[in-house]
Amino acid sequence: MKICVAIRESSTSDAVDAACRALAWADLVELRGDYIRDLDLPRLLADKPGPVIFTLRSRSEGGEFDGSERGRLETLLEAAQLGADYVDVEFSSFWKPVLEAVPRERVILSYHNFERVPPDLPSVIDSMAASGAGIVKVAARANRLSDNLEIAAALRRGTESNIRLCALAMGRAGIASRVLGPLWGSWMTYACLPGGAPTADGQIPADELVDSYRIRSIGESTAVYGVAGRPLEHSLSPRVHNAAFAARGMDAVYLPLECDDMDDLLRFEAQVPLQGISVTIPYKEEAHARARSLSVEADQTGAVNTYVRSGTGWHGENTDVDGFLRPLRRRLHLAGMRALVLGAGGAARAIVFALRSQGALTSVAARNADRARDLAARFGAEGHAWAEIPHLDWDLLVNTTPVGMHPRVEDSPVPAEWLKGKWVYDLVYNPKQTRLLQLAAKKGISAISGAEMFLGQAIKQQQLWCGSLPPDNAMRDALESALGK
Ligand code: NAP
């Protein structure tokens, strides 16, 4: 298994520096000559710190090179002569003269499809392999999670036919292929330089691939977990759960599984068995409807954020309830307390259920007053219009609206004048110190960050999946570091 970091720098000297840094995680680097404005091949290759692939992508193949095709061919051949370990040439261009001039084991013949994984992928790969190139590379956009299965099937065929194949799915939905691809038989997987720009959609920074996903130790016996939702671009769950599995010393990996719907997820899961699944927006209700059995919390809230494997199928849990209560249990006694919940969406249901389960006298206020009243009525709470908030008395205020979330960090759901209780709990966790919590702290009101709930619900998921509490310091550190970034 090889990790290749694709280098996207605009000067020769920066590309050499970046290549040196990349080799802390990678086995080889891909020097993207098309990004380098002052391309000095002799210097670039004389100073190469390790094995390199050189390529000069044209615009039609997703690159920046806009010179002549003859010039592109000459530059590739010169790079091979100057010692590039591999040259990558596209199947859609002049690969024949490259194969005539460069030893075939040093030629990567590549195919890119930025729209989809084509239905004729196997025959494309067969035609590419028939060229005699030493390595065949295919990168095609995944539009749904199950598109990864086409990549897995292609890799299995490649292994059976002794084709040295690198195959991956681009895009957020294709991340599984970047992490599990080597296990499925891919000769190599691509990553981007930590802190650098990716050269393709869905590339994971090399440090994350190695240190968080622990790709070098993934094997047949590795248990696969993941979070299902859409979009998952900003999900912190992979960081936190991978840290927990590493701290447990468990052979397990946790992936972002960006899917089209639950059917898409379950199609993927039928071929890539998952040991546990986190479910997030917008699939919590659908996951509830499809679970074989439900916990009381999942049943009562109508939402599932965790699937646990049972003998008969997926058992649905809602760990948002426990995650929300965990930081409160340490600080206060909820029975008889007056709690006011802002917002009446999906998260509010878990919060109102949690508060009522502990005997808190609960009110809900939302800009859609009917929604607030409906939600409140379901759990024996009181519903109010947003304008009533200044007239309501509360000990604990809980924000379940997304107001204040990155990037609109200056927003607060309510002004400082409306804050007059003892505790404010904001479910928003990015940033950790929201504007609302800052306003509360200025008035001497105790503040609880949504980061604590996020951690709490993930700890409960770990407990449900593994049967024991995880070392939560590792999870906390991973969360702090991800939020810090
Ligand atoms: P949701 O289902 O979309 O509900 C959002 C609620 O906020 C709705 O009632 C919505 O009102 C209301 N709202 C939105 N913008 C508003 C505004 N400008 N002023 C007043 N009300 C507004 O979302 P959700 O799933 O409940 O999630 C809500 C937030 O909680 C998100 O930021 C999410 O990241 C966070 N969360 C955190 C954790 C954690 O572990 N810390 C867990 C779950 C959720 P309308 O119905 O009128 O649009």
Side-chain angles (χ1 to χ4, degrees), residues 281 320 343-348 367-368 371 386 400-403 405 427-429 450 453-454 457:
I281 295 169
D320 282 338
R367 58 186 182 183
N368 180 335
R371 237 183 136 184
W386 195 262
T400 76
T401 79
V403 181
M405 192 163 73
L427 259 58
V428 172
Y429 56 86
M453 171 173 166
F454 181 79
Q457 59 81 30

Side-chain angles (χ1 to χ4, degrees), residues 94-157:
F94 43 69
W95 53 270
K96 279 189 185 142
V98 174
L99 270 171
E100 280 158 17
V102 180
R104 47 195 52 215
E105 65 277 10
R106 290 173 55 203
V107 178
I108 300 175
L109 189 62
S110 61
Y111 165 89
H112 305 93
N113 190 319
F114 297 98
E115 284 173 9
R116 60 181 181 149
V117 177
D120 61 342
L121 188 65
S123 63
V124 171
I125 292 172
D126 288 346
S127 312
M128 292 171 79
S131 70
I135 299 139
V136 169
K137 174 198 163 189
V138 294
R141 167 166 287 276
N143 292 309
R144 57 195 66 79
L145 184 65
S146 46
D147 285 347
N148 287 279
L149 300 175
E150 308 302 322
I151 299 294
L155 286 166
R156 266 197 306 277
R157 269 185 89 241

Side-chain angles (χ1 to χ4, degrees), residues 232-349:
L232 290 176
E233 204 171 341
H234 301 294
S235 175
L236 300 175
S237 296
R239 296 293 290 264
V240 169
H241 283 293
N242 279 321
F245 287 132
R248 285 178 187 275
M250 232 175 107
D251 181 11
V253 66
Y254 182 103
L255 303 171
L257 304 168
E258 193 163 297
C259 48
D260 246 9
D261 49 30
M262 288 297 285
D263 282 335
D264 186 28
L265 172 72
L266 296 175
R267 255 198 314 277
F268 175 82
E269 202 278 323
Q271 291 192 41
V272 184
L274 301 170
Q275 299 310 311
I277 309 175
S278 309
V279 181
T280 188
I281 295 169
Y283 303 131
K284 289 184 182 182
E285 281 81 15
E286 208 185 329
H288 173 274
R290 283 166 170 254
R292 183 56 66 96
S293 57
L294 292 168
S295 68
V296 173
E297 291 83 353
D299 184 29
Q300 294 285 308
T301 56
V304 160
N305 79 333
T306 311
Y307 265 175
V308 182
R309 260 201 185 288
S310 75
T312 53
W314 289 112
H315 170 71
E317 293 269 354
N318 189 320
T319 69
D320 282 338
V321 173
D322 190 71
F324 170 73
L325 291 175
R326 195 173 281 255
L328 291 175
R329 283 196 191 105
R330 288 200 303 270
R331 294 171 163 101
L332 44 90
H333 191 60
L334 282 169
M337 246 192 159
R338 293 163 306 172
L340 173 60
V341 177
L342 304 181
R349 264 189 283 162

Side-chain angles (χ1 to χ4, degrees), residues 6 37 60 80-81 122 140 195 204 245 266 287 295 322 342 345 438 461 469:
R37 298 284 155 248
S60 63
Q81 266 174 4
I204 302 170
F245 287 132
L266 296 175
S295 68
D322 190 71
L342 304 181
Q438 289 169 10
Q461 290 182 325
L469 281 169

